C-alpha cells in the first residue's frame, strides 16, 4: 500500500508540476484583471500583463508557426500615438478575423474609407517580442510597402507581442494542476512517512505489552496494579503479584520497586 501511494503520488506530483511549468507565463495573468489596451498607455505595461481590446484594425497574416497565425494590429498609446503591435492567435480561431482583416487591408490600400465596422474582441497576455517574430514582421512590412525602411517600422513598434489565450481556461487549469500537484505531494508523504499496518502492529505490541517473570501481559491487564502503585499501595500490589500473577515474593518486591520498567 505504501509503495502504491508513493508511485501514484510521484506521478501526480511530477505531472502537475510539468503542466504548471508549461503554462507559467500565463498563471499570474490568468488571476489578474485584464487591462483594456484601447484606453491608451500600452507603453507603461510590462510583459506578463493580462490584456484585452476590441480590435478595429488587423492587417493580414505575416507569419504562421506552430499552429498560430501572426498579424499586425494598431494599439493607441499616449499623446494620440498609434503603435503597430504583432498579435499571435491560434490558427483555429483565424476565421473570426477574416472580415476585419479584409476591411483593414482595403482601407490600407485606399480601396475604402471605412474601417472598424467588424471589430474583434481580443483577450490574452502581453509578452516580450521575440527576435523571429520581429524579423518576419519587418520583412513583411517592406514587401507589401507598408514602410520603405525597416527603421520606420521599428519607430512605430514596441517590444511586445499580443498572445491570444483563454484566461478563464488557464485559471481553471491552474487550479486543477495545482490540486493535482498538492494531492501527489500528500500521497508521496504518506507513502514515505506514515508506517504501514505491519509496522504499526509491531509498534502497538511493543507499547501495549510487557513481560514479568517470563510471561507476557497486555498493559491493560496491569492497569489496576499500576493504579495501586501510583497511589502508594505497594504492599497490596506486592500481594496481587504474588497471588494472581504467581510471582515469587522477592521478585514481586523487585517488580514493584522498578515498576516504571514494566509499565510504560
Amino acid at each position: 500500500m505504501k509503495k502504491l501511494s508513493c508511485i501514484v503520488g510521484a506521478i501526480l506530483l511530477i505531472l502537475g508540476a510539468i503542466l504548471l511549468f508549461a503554462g507559467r507565463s500565463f498563471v499570474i495573468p490568468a488571476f489578474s484583471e485584464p487591462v483594456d489596451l484601447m484606453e491608451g498607455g500600452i507603453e507603461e505595461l510590462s510583459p506578463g500583463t493580462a490584456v484585452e481590446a476590441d480590435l478595429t484594425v488587423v492587417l493580414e497574416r505575416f507569419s504562421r508557426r506552430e499552429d498560430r497565425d501572426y498579424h499586425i494590429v494598431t494599439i493607441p498609446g499616449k499623446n494620440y500615438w498609434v503603435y503597430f503591435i504583432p498579435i499571435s492567435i491560434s490558427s483555429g480561431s483565424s476565421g473570426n478575423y477574416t472580415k476585419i482583416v479584409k476591411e483593414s487591408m482595403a482601407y490600407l490600400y485606399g480601396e475604402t474609407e471605412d474601417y472598424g465596422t467588424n471589430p474583434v474582441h481580443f483577450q490574452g497576455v502581453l509578452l516580450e517580442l521575440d527576435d523571429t517574430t520581429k524579423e518576419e514582421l519587418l520583412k513583411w512590412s517592406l514587401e507589401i510597402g507598408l514602410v520603405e525602411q525597416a527603421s520606420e517600422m521599428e519607430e512605430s513598434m514596441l517590444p511586445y507581442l499580443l498572445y491570444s489565450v483563454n484566461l478563464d481556461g488557464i485559471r481553471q487549469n491552474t487550479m486543477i494542476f495545482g490540486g493535482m500537484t498538492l494531492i501527489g505531494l500528500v500521497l508521496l508523504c504518506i507513502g514515505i512517512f506514515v508506517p504501514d499496518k505491519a509496522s504499526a502492529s509491531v509498534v502497538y505490541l511493543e507499547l501495549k505489552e510487557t513481560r514479568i517473570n517470563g510471561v507476557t501481559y497486555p498493559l491493560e491487564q496491569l492497569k489496576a496494579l499500576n493504579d495501586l502503585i501510583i497511589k502508594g499501595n505497594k504492599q497490596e500490589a506486592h500481594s496481587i503479584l504474588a497471588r494472581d500473577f504467581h510471582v515469587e515474593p522477592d521478585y514481586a518486591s523487585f517488580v514493584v520497586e522498578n515498576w516504571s520498567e514494566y509499565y510504560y
Side-chain angles (χ1 to χ4, degrees):
M1 188 65 180
K2 287 186 62 177
K3 184 177 180 181
L4 179 61
S5 179
C6 283
I7 294 175
V8 174
I11 292 174
L12 290 176
L13 178 62
I14 293 173
L15 182 59
I18 290 175
L19 293 173
L20 285 175
F21 182 79
R24 64 192 182 282
S25 299
F26 308 115
V27 171
I28 294 178
F31 290 88
S32 306
E33 187 69 24
V35 176
D36 190 345
L37 294 175
M38 290 306 168
E39 294 182 355
I42 188 175
E43 306 97 331
E44 299 177 352
L45 301 182
S46 58
T49 302
V51 293
E52 63 181 358
D54 289 324
L55 302 175
T56 56
V57 174
V58 181
L59 303 186
E60 67 183 10
R61 185 184 69 208
F62 66 85
S63 177
R64 170 176 282 179
R65 303 193 311 272
E66 299 175 353
D67 294 326
R68 295 191 69 87
D69 292 343
Y70 292 77
H71 296 259
I72 300 175
V73 300
T74 57
I75 301 296
K78 288 184 175 181
N79 301 320
Y80 304 103
W81 188 263
V82 176
Y83 292 100
F84 288 110
I85 306 292
I87 179 176
S88 172
I89 62 175
S90 63
S91 299
S93 63
S94 60
N96 299 331
Y97 288 76
T98 301
K99 289 184 179 180
I100 190 173
V101 168
K102 188 176 297 184
E103 183 181 75
S104 299
M105 294 306 296
Y107 177 79
L108 178 66
Y109 290 127
E111 299 173 1
T112 179
E113 295 182 356
D114 297 326
Y115 75 94
T117 63
N118 296 284
V120 174
H121 185 73
F122 164 86
Q123 185 185 80
V125 179
L126 190 68
L127 299 180
E128 185 175 354
L129 180 62
D130 60 278
D131 293 337
T132 300
T133 301
K134 181 179 179 180
E135 290 174 4
E136 292 178 341
L137 184 154
L138 293 176
K139 180 180 178 181
W140 180 85
S141 300
L142 290 171
E143 288 178 351
I144 69 165
L146 185 61
V147 293
E148 294 183 358
Q149 296 181 352
S151 59
E152 296 178 24
M153 190 63 178
E154 290 181 334
E155 290 178 359
S156 300
M157 291 175 58
L158 290 172
Y160 300 146
L161 168 68
L162 297 178
Y163 193 94
S164 175
V165 66
N166 185 341
L167 295 178
D168 291 335
I170 293 294
R171 184 164 54 251
Q172 293 175 2
N173 288 340
T174 299
M175 290 188 289
I176 292 173
F177 300 151
M180 182 188 303
T181 304
L182 181 60
I183 292 173
L185 180 60
V186 171
L187 289 176
L188 189 60
C189 289
I190 290 175
I192 295 175
F193 299 110
V194 176
D196 56 23
K197 291 184 178 180
S199 300
S201 298
V202 172
V203 174
Y204 180 82
L205 290 175
E206 289 178 352
L207 294 177
K208 298 299 182 180
E209 295 181 349
T210 190
R211 291 177 65 82
I212 299 176
N213 198 28
V215 180
T216 300
Y217 298 97
L219 292 186
E220 184 64 25
Q221 186 177 344
L222 302 175
K223 186 177 185 304
L225 194 62
N226 180 66
D227 291 339
L228 288 173
I229 295 175
I230 291 177
K231 293 177 181 179
N233 299 327
K234 293 184 178 181
Q235 185 60 43
E236 186 176 353
H238 179 279
S239 300
I240 292 175
L241 279 172
R243 183 184 68 248
D244 298 339
F245 293 85
H246 309 291
V247 178
E248 293 293 331
D250 292 340
Y251 190 73
S253 298
F254 176 86
V255 171
V256 171
E257 294 300 327
N258 297 275
W259 185 242
S260 61
E261 296 180 14
Y262 295 89
Y263 194 96
Y264 43 85

